Amino acid sequence: MAGGPTGLNSGGNGGGTLMGIHWFHRPVYIGTDRPGLTYVCTNVEGAATELMKWTKRGPKWKEAIEACVALVKGERTPDDVRKAFEAAADEQGLLRSSKNGSARAEVSRQASSWRS
């Protein structure tokens, strides 16, 4: 996206919308039901889809769902949802590290193995 996306509405404090997608400022890396595969979630809609797949639904899951609903009502930001989704993924044991680049390395390694 050279020069940045047109029509981006950042909402002022984290994330934004473009063509109906509410983007996160930083992605959340989570494990999936497929061994060795990490999902890189970059938007509220993707987070909501993932949350609905989970069978364990603890307090952080409920908070993340509530954050998604509050975003639709205009009461929360995409970054609020990202934080709640990250906490829910951690509670579920699905959160993968993105601070030290290990998740990126894992995704890159997997992509390389697919090409082989």
Side-chain angles (χ1 to χ4, degrees), residues 36-93:
L37 195 63
T38 297
Y39 174 64
V40 182
C41 186
T42 58
N43 59 69
V44 172
E45 291 73 17
T49 298
E50 289 301 308
L51 287 164
M52 296 310 295
K53 292 178 184 178
W54 299 353
T55 55
K56 290 187 206 169
R57 297 182 173 183
K60 299 293 183 186
W61 178 89
K62 186 176 186 240
E63 289 174 22
I65 289 293
E66 289 171 353
C68 291
V69 171
L71 176 123
V72 172
K73 293 178 179 179
E75 299 168 355
R76 302 288 287 274
T77 67
D79 199 47
D80 293 334
V81 175
R82 183 194 63 75
K83 289 174 187 171
F85 177 61
E86 186 173 58
D90 191 31
E91 176 183 70
Q92 184 82 359

Side-chain angles (χ1 to χ4, degrees), residues 1 5-10 16-23 43-45:
M1 292 203 278
T6 44
L8 180 65
N9 176 5
S10 68
T17 59
L18 179 65
M19 296 189 294
I21 303 293
H22 298 87
W23 299 99
N43 59 69
V44 172
E45 291 73 17

